[in-house]
Amino acid sequence: MTKKAPPLARRQATRFSFKLLILFCVCLSLCAFAFFKLHSQSELSTPSSRRRSRISLETFDGPPKIAFMFLARRELPLDFLWATFFENGDVANFSIYVHSAPGFVFDESTTRSHYFYGRQLSNSIQVLWGESSMIQAERLLLDAALEDPANQRFVLLSDSCAPLYNFNYVYNYVMGSPRSFVDSFLDVKEGRYNPKMSPKIPRERWRKGSQWITLIRSHAAVIADDEVVFPVFKKYCKRRPPVDARKGKLNLKLQKQHNCIPDEHYVQTLLAMHGLEGELERRTLTYTVWNESVTKMENKGWHPMTFGYANASPEKIREIKGINHIYYETEYRTEWCRNNSTSVPCFIFARKFSRGAAMRLLSDDSISGSELSSSLDSHT
């Protein structure tokens, strides 16, 4: 007995129901995607309790200040150089914060400059290079500096950073721009971005850049108050372990891991996710020379060169000061260094400076002299 084909009306109804089901699934997926995006944006924009507590502190009397934030291993080896720098500034125009080793105190027995007395954070943590503790220390510095409403600019410095100009020049340069200075560019190389970061951190928002940043107040608050992106970095952005001959073939597996350096990606990626790249000068104010080194295990890596007395000559310092543009290969972009449409030197700080290099820098009048660029005088 042969089966009869179902009536035409029934077949059409079946096809219609099937199409309706597909349409419903598509709509459901789009709604879920839209909800997730809305939820993600809501997470990013929801103010933390710390941020809410600062709202009443946004107004202040007196001149705006620059918060100089030092990220130190322990003491500040170039404190004598910075003492000269600060002596030529008005104390009403700056504040100082230091993240050092937990328990380390800056006083007359640990620093040669009274400017650093008691300026250490009370809640500092142990910091390891290439770990999330580095960006957590930066966030602690920003959080402390944001408690003073007069702090309107935030400069992150290492313990080997040196100023290339006197205080007035630096103050006018930084205050003269309404933007943050954040070195930020597309990271096109494989191996840094961990797909497990998605969807919290989408691949198209992944950025790379220098750790040494200068921020306006609103951007500093975004970083200090972040409760969404930092946990993802802490979990998935980790440094690949170095090659260890004792581990033999296990090294092959370990070297396939993502080699993510948090301090080279966190701030840049976070600001990109908040849609703030249009408010940035996408360059750093701190000059660094990177050299490629090879260890005994043939494990290549880039490391910043240290300036000694011999290579911190007046000619070399003038050469650094003469740089007026930066080229970013991954974006085919030339960043011309300007301040309110006026051409300016790209760098006002440099690292890494040894004590000898700092002593030689002091012999010039760049730090202690009264030299000021007329192009920046109008911002005083």
Side-chain angles (χ1 to χ4, degrees):
M1 179 178 179
T2 57
K3 294 182 179 180
K4 294 183 179 180
L8 179 61
R10 187 185 303 172
R11 282 183 305 201
Q12 288 177 336
T14 302
R15 282 197 294 267
F16 178 75
S17 299
F18 183 68
K19 290 179 180 179
L20 193 62
L21 179 63
I22 293 176
L23 182 61
F24 175 76
C25 291
V26 170
C27 290
L28 189 62
S29 299
L30 289 174
C31 289
F33 177 74
F35 174 79
F36 172 77
K37 285 202 70 174
L38 184 62
H39 179 66
S40 298
Q41 289 299 318
S42 176
E43 281 189 302
L44 284 174
S45 60
T46 300
S48 68
S49 58
R50 297 288 293 175
R51 175 60 181 159
R52 285 192 291 268
S53 69
R54 293 193 198 106
I55 293 176
S56 61
L57 300 175
E58 293 302 316
T59 59
F60 66 95
D61 294 322
K65 296 194 292 187
I66 296 178
F68 291 89
M69 307 178 303
F70 293 86
L71 195 56
R73 295 173 180 84
R74 191 171 171 81
E75 69 278 349
L76 289 170
L78 306 186
D79 55 359
F80 63 93
L81 177 64
W82 285 99
T84 303
F85 174 81
F86 290 127
E87 281 171 4
N88 289 277
D90 188 333
V91 292
N93 290 336
F94 67 89
S95 54
I96 298 171
Y97 304 84
V98 185
H99 184 287
S100 186
F104 187 83
V105 176
F106 285 88
D107 55 28
E108 59 275 5
S109 67
T110 57
T111 178
R112 289 158 287 193
S113 171
H114 66 87
Y115 289 107
F116 296 103
Y117 288 176
R119 300 314 303 160
Q120 72 281 345
L121 299 189
S122 60
N123 59 344
S124 61
I125 60 174
Q126 190 64 46
V127 174
L128 297 175
W129 181 84
E131 303 293 340
S132 61
S133 56
M134 181 73 78
I135 55 177
Q136 176 62 3
E138 296 175 16
R139 297 174 75 238
L140 289 172
L141 282 166
L142 288 168
D143 191 62
L146 282 164
E147 291 304 306
D148 183 350
N151 288 332
Q152 295 296 305
R153 299 293 185 274
F154 303 78
V155 179
L156 183 65
L157 302 158
S158 77
D159 54 14
S160 64
C161 276
L164 298 177
Y165 295 88
N166 63 35
F167 181 88
N168 288 333
Y169 187 92
V170 170
Y171 183 86
N172 292 334
Y173 189 116
V174 173
M175 286 294 183
S177 174
R179 296 169 175 263
S180 291
F181 294 89
V182 178
D183 183 49
S184 179
F185 53 90
L186 297 174
D187 181 26
V188 296
K189 294 182 180 179
E190 298 294 332
R192 289 291 184 99
Y193 177 78
N194 189 334
K196 292 181 179 179
M197 294 178 174
S198 180
K200 289 282 187 180
I201 303 176
R203 181 69 177 84
E204 62 270 17
R205 295 293 185 181
W206 185 249
R207 300 289 186 271
K208 185 180 179 182
S210 169
Q211 175 184 7
W212 312 110
I213 54 179
T214 297
L215 303 169
I216 60 175
R217 189 173 177 87
S218 60
H219 295 168
V222 166
I223 297 165
D225 298 330
D226 169 42
E227 296 176 351
V228 177
V229 176
F230 176 73
V232 180
F233 263 76
K234 188 175 182 179
K235 187 174 183 180
Y236 295 117
C237 183
K238 297 182 179 181
R239 178 170 58 100
R240 179 190 299 151
V243 175
D244 186 343
R246 294 170 297 179
K247 295 181 179 179
K249 293 182 179 180
L250 180 59
N251 282 303
L252 297 176
K253 181 179 179 181
L254 293 174
Q255 294 309 300
K256 291 180 180 179
Q257 295 180 10
H258 293 276
N259 188 32
C260 185
I261 311 300
D263 56 81
E264 294 182 359
H265 297 276
Y266 173 67
V267 170
Q268 292 79 0
T269 299
L270 178 62
L271 295 179
M273 289 184 63
H274 278 267
L276 297 173
E277 289 184 297
E279 299 177 13
L280 307 178
E281 291 285 349
R282 292 170 63 194
R283 59 186 176 91
T284 180
L285 299 182
T286 301
Y287 178 81
T288 307
V289 177
W290 292 89
N291 281 343
E292 187 177 31
S293 63
V294 182
T295 68
K296 293 180 181 179
M297 294 301 300
E298 295 299 318
N299 189 23
K300 293 185 178 181
W302 290 92
H303 299 280
M305 185 192 83
T306 299
F307 286 89
Y309 183 90
N311 56 3
S313 64
E315 292 77 19
K316 181 60 180 178
I317 300 303
R318 282 195 295 270
E319 178 186 324
I320 297 172
K321 289 181 174 182
I323 298 173
N324 64 0
H325 68 280
I326 305 163
Y327 180 67
Y328 291 89
E329 292 184 5
T330 61
E331 298 178 347
Y332 305 101
R333 169 171 62 93
T334 298
E335 191 77 16
W336 292 94
C337 301
R338 299 184 180 279
N339 196 322
N340 288 334
S341 301
T342 300
S343 179
V344 293
C346 291
F347 303 107
I348 54 178
F349 308 107
R351 66 184 294 267
K352 303 169 64 171
F353 269 60
S354 66
R355 284 190 176 93
M359 289 295 295
R360 189 165 188 178
L361 191 61
L362 269 180
S363 65
D364 190 8
D365 66 352
S366 297
I367 307 305
S368 58
S370 58
E371 168 194 346
L372 256 181
S373 169
S374 59
S375 63
L376 294 177
D377 283 347
S378 59
H379 303 304
T380 305

